[in-house]
Amino acid sequence: MAVKYEKVKAVEKEHAVVDGVDVSGHWNRMFEQRVIFEYTPELIEKVASIPNAESFANCYQCAKCVAVCPVDVVGNYGPRKLYRYAQTGTDLTEAPELWLCTTCANCLRVCPKEVNMVKIMPAAREQAILDGKFVPPELQQAFENTAKSGNPLGQPQRKRDAWIQNAGVPIPIIKDLGRPVDVLWYVGSYPSYHPRGIDAASAAARIFTALGIDFAVLGKEEKDDADSQRLAGEKGLFEMMAEHNIATFNSYEWKELVVTGPHELNAFKNVYPKYGFERPVLHYTTFLARYLDQLKPLLKHEVNVKVTYHDPCYLGRHNGEYEAPRKLLEAIPGVELVEMSRNRENGYCCGGGGGGMWMDSFTAKHTKMRLSEKRAMEAASTGANVLAVACPFEVSRFEDAVKSTGNEHVTVNDILELLDRSMRGEQ
Amino acid sequence: MNIVVAIKHIPSIADDLPVKGNNVDFDSVDFVLNEFDEQSIEQAVLVKEAVGGTVTVVGVDLIGELDNVLHLALAKGADKAVKVTADEPGADSHQQAKWLAEAIKGMSPDIVFAGVQASNDLDGQIGPMIAAYLDMPYIGGVSSVEAAEGTAIVTKEFAGGNAGKYSVSLPIVVGVQAAPKPPRYAPVSKVRQVAQTATIEKISPSADGAGAGLSMKKMAPPVVTGHAEMFTGSSKEVAAKIVELLKSKGLA
Ligand code: SF4
Ligand code: SF4
């Protein structure tokens, strides 16, 4: 017989008299022994029995995680709550909650029991997908686009290097170059196709050129890293992309791989080694921070703005880079850098990680406000007029969010764009 | 129940269509599964899940890349895949219908599903012509099928949001407008597994020409006329300008 799970009702007494004092009321539970045997462990075990999701069962309900979970700020979430939902009858593999975690890793940072949502979520989602359970349609579309076209936007593969024409500097494609380079620059899908991503990519190309860096790109041979698709549960898709990218990386000679995006950094640096690819990979902020001495004299024009910087989860918490982006911003003459209350290790997630990038309308149905909107308001409250980012997912997310929260006076810029502006002056 | 799905591989319109001579430049365009056929595959698998049977997907391989589409269909629940190896990217719907009908003939199907139309020619001919070749009735614009032994209840859409329910006897050819549920997702790991193990039956196309008899004189991208005016400013200013514009056109 199929087990039917019912929501457990809290055990309360209409009337309770303790030591002659009437303590009737919903709060009187604390005076009675807690009845725990009504709670069911099956649904916790159902999640914890999925390979890589074992740590779900470790939770001892201390609630440290809830205080730092970005989704809880706009809803009712966090590992402690998910555990509790499972205990009281929610099957996580079928619930909308399965799709809300952005794998931002802030809970893992504080959890004494190492309950690891960065592993639990992809595993549970993969199980749900393989079992043919509900997958948010927008996410499904991003998966299909990636499988079909090599990028989640569904743009044609042969147009991947079309942006190069208008970058203002020659951008060598490694295949045509036919010689080894120092830096292989993995541009990424959004910087290759999204208009605001192209702005950042073009800025990067101009900066690399001005610094005299010997670099090249993969052009039409580059395909999406699919790390966020992996975290959203599509491991097979990730593996298919990884096979292609690793073979491509290995077919050329280069010294370092520089990436525009933190998700790509995470994929190539932390996950590809499992698939046999172990080479130096750097995010552009880390890479450029090395060239600060050469870069500073190039930053000739003042950029008189008050900037606040948003730490991308996959650059900060996942990969430990907090200082390079700040050093780059501080190197720009005229920039005043102010911090949001949640910064560095405790940075607030933009909502784009773990597949959240492609689930905005779904997430909006289950939260009070988008994470990007919460963060945009936080940025505005610092008095900054520029919100600086270092992840290609974020420019479009935050540009929408500053508009929808009435903070249009805050401009969203990739650090690359600000460096480029200082280098070339207002264009 | 013996269910057959006839599918069509068409040039993708995700990108500008390059023209070469008087047709699409088939070498520099991606081919995709017609979106109505995605609905049609979903509908077929739903019928199979409801009453049992086998689903056979059959298509004309125009550019030698149909296998990917067939593997996807198998991963979504189809049981068999068949391709007509034509290698003629410009074959029109009349010609394709003939080849498909020849392939389907020996399968003695109870239901043949076909997308109601395809976005390359929008002529909606594949389904009706297969029906004519196989001497079976046809019903198009269908949004749901509930099959039983020898019969089916078919919902057909009409203009203005109206729908009609028909009781039909099998065998029949059904032109699918939409499946009652969005097409399911096939995980890549499953598709790849299928790709390694599946066998796709190959059929050579017959030599008889059955084209529509139309010949293309000229194909060219549409000439751009008029222009879009971009409003700039804060969202309040932009909203005011939009209201102004709507008023000036008598729309608000
Ligand atoms: S911090 Fe860890 S142990 Fe504590 S409630 Fe959260 S998941 Fe459970
Ligand atoms: S990873 Fe982030 S979003 Fe997910 S539960 Fe933990 S804190 Fe919340």
Side-chain angles (χ1 to χ4, degrees), chain A residues 324-377:
Chain A
R326 290 178 168 82
K327 276 189 205 149
L328 292 171
L329 286 168
E330 279 163 347
I332 302 172
V335 160
E336 182 197 345
L337 184 63
V338 289
E339 293 288 351
M340 288 181 265
S341 57
R342 283 183 264 230
N343 63 59
R344 294 188 168 83
E345 287 83 357
N346 191 31
Y348 189 83
C349 175
C350 80
M357 184 70 187
W358 310 297
M359 287 187 269
D360 264 331
S361 359
F362 176 80
T363 313
K365 279 189 224 142
H366 300 279
T367 47
K368 291 198 281 280
M369 148 188 321
R370 293 200 167 91
L371 274 67
S372 52
E373 292 173 326
K374 181 77 200 160
R375 189 58 160 169
M377 286 158 67

Side-chain angles (χ1 to χ4, degrees), chain A residues 141-204:
Chain A
Q141 187 66 54
F143 287 161
E144 283 168 0
N145 286 345
T146 311
K148 231 184 266 172
S149 323
N151 65 84
L153 300 94
Q155 295 289 319
Q157 180 70 30
R158 60 177 183 285
K159 290 264 176 85
R160 192 156 179 122
D161 56 359
W163 67 275
I164 286 179
Q165 312 304 331
N166 302 316
V169 287
I171 300 174
I173 293 173
I174 195 154
K175 191 175 182 182
D176 307 338
L177 209 56
R179 62 163 178 86
V181 288
D182 290 343
V183 169
L184 181 63
W185 173 27
Y186 176 93
V187 181
S189 293
Y190 284 80
S192 297
Y193 295 111
H194 190 283
R196 292 292 286 116
I198 291 176
D199 291 342
S202 306

Side-chain angles (χ1 to χ4, degrees), chain A residues 241-263:
Chain A
M241 293 293 144
E243 279 166 29
H244 169 91
N245 284 330
I246 291 174
T248 312
F249 294 159
N250 285 341
S251 63
Y252 297 106
E253 278 182 64
W254 45 270
K255 293 195 188 114
E256 284 177 314
L257 185 61
V258 171
V259 297
T260 327
H263 299 278

Side-chain angles (χ1 to χ4, degrees), chain B residues 65-89:
Chain B
E65 290 177 11
L66 192 70
D67 286 10
N68 299 336
V69 169
L70 294 172
H71 292 151
L72 197 63
L74 291 168
K76 289 187 177 194
D79 305 283
K80 275 189 246 165
V82 179
K83 63 177 177 187
V84 180
T85 50
D87 210 10
E88 250 187 66

Side-chain angles (χ1 to χ4, degrees), chain A residues 220-345:
Chain A
K220 294 181 181 65
E221 287 186 277
E222 185 184 286
K223 284 194 179 180
D224 200 67
D225 58 294
D227 204 41
S228 297
Q229 292 87 325
R230 173 181 68 85
L231 294 157
E234 240 301 8
K235 192 168 159 209
L237 177 57
F238 173 81
E239 288 178 342
M240 184 166 84
M241 293 293 144
E243 279 166 29
H244 169 91
N245 284 330
I246 291 174
T248 312
F249 294 159
N250 285 341
S251 63
Y252 297 106
E253 278 182 64
W254 45 270
K255 293 195 188 114
E256 284 177 314
L257 185 61
V258 171
V259 297
T260 327
H263 299 278
E264 292 81 351
L265 174 70
N266 193 62
F268 304 156
K269 190 175 133 212
N270 302 332
V271 195
Y272 277 23
K274 285 187 206 121
Y275 299 87
F277 175 83
E278 247 170 303
R279 298 283 309 270
V281 188
L282 298 170
H283 185 253
Y284 82 79
T285 54
T286 314
F287 177 72
L288 288 180
R290 252 205 241 147
Y291 288 84
L292 262 187
D293 291 342
Q294 288 106 297
L295 191 59
K296 276 183 183 158
L298 298 173
L299 304 175
K300 292 194 198 89
H301 302 269
E302 291 212 343
V303 181
N304 289 308
V305 286
K306 195 167 170 183
V307 176
T308 190
Y309 168 67
H310 166 82
D311 286 281
C313 303
Y314 275 85
L315 184 60
R317 269 191 301 278
H318 282 270
N319 285 293
E321 182 60 273
Y322 301 105
E323 298 315 320
R326 290 178 168 82
K327 276 189 205 149
L328 292 171
L329 286 168
E330 279 163 347
I332 302 172
V335 160
E336 182 197 345
L337 184 63
V338 289
E339 293 288 351
M340 288 181 265
S341 57
R342 283 183 264 230
N343 63 59
R344 294 188 168 83
E345 287 83 357

Side-chain angles (χ1 to χ4, degrees), chain A residues 129-130 135 140 143-144 147-148 154-159 234 236-237 239-240 243 403 408, chain B residues 14-16 18 28-30 32 38 76 183-190 192 234-236:
Chain A
I129 292 171
L130 292 175
V135 180
Q140 192 167 320
F143 287 161
E144 283 168 0
K148 231 184 266 172
Q155 295 289 319
Q157 180 70 30
R158 60 177 183 285
K159 290 264 176 85
E234 240 301 8
L237 177 57
E239 288 178 342
M240 184 166 84
E243 279 166 29
K403 280 187 203 131
E408 277 120 331
Chain B
D15 192 11
D16 310 332
S28 46
V29 71
D30 294 331
V32 293
E38 289 181 23
K76 289 187 177 194
R184 65 197 62 198
Y185 182 69
V188 168
S189 57
K190 200 164 167 192
R192 297 183 99 192
S234 70
S235 49
K236 277 204 180 115

Side-chain angles (χ1 to χ4, degrees), chain B residues 33-131:
Chain B
L33 177 63
N34 168 32
E35 58 178 307
F36 291 97
D37 296 341
E38 289 181 23
Q39 301 288 333
S40 174
I41 292 170
E42 180 63 30
Q43 177 64 78
V45 176
L46 288 173
V47 170
K48 176 183 113 167
E49 283 169 353
V51 299
T54 55
V55 174
T56 305
V57 178
V58 48
V60 180
D61 197 358
L62 302 169
I63 55 157
E65 290 177 11
L66 192 70
D67 286 10
N68 299 336
V69 169
L70 294 172
H71 292 151
L72 197 63
L74 291 168
K76 289 187 177 194
D79 305 283
K80 275 189 246 165
V82 179
K83 63 177 177 187
V84 180
T85 50
D87 210 10
E88 250 187 66
D92 66 21
S93 56
H94 290 237
Q95 179 67 63
Q96 290 198 45
K98 174 145 199 298
W99 286 332
L100 289 166
E102 283 165 359
I104 296 168
K105 204 168 203 142
M107 297 178 187
S108 47
D110 295 301
I111 307 184
V112 178
F113 289 109
V116 74
Q117 60 179 15
S119 56
N120 61 341
D121 51 28
L122 297 172
D123 73 358
Q125 288 301 301
I126 296 256
M129 293 198 58
I130 290 177

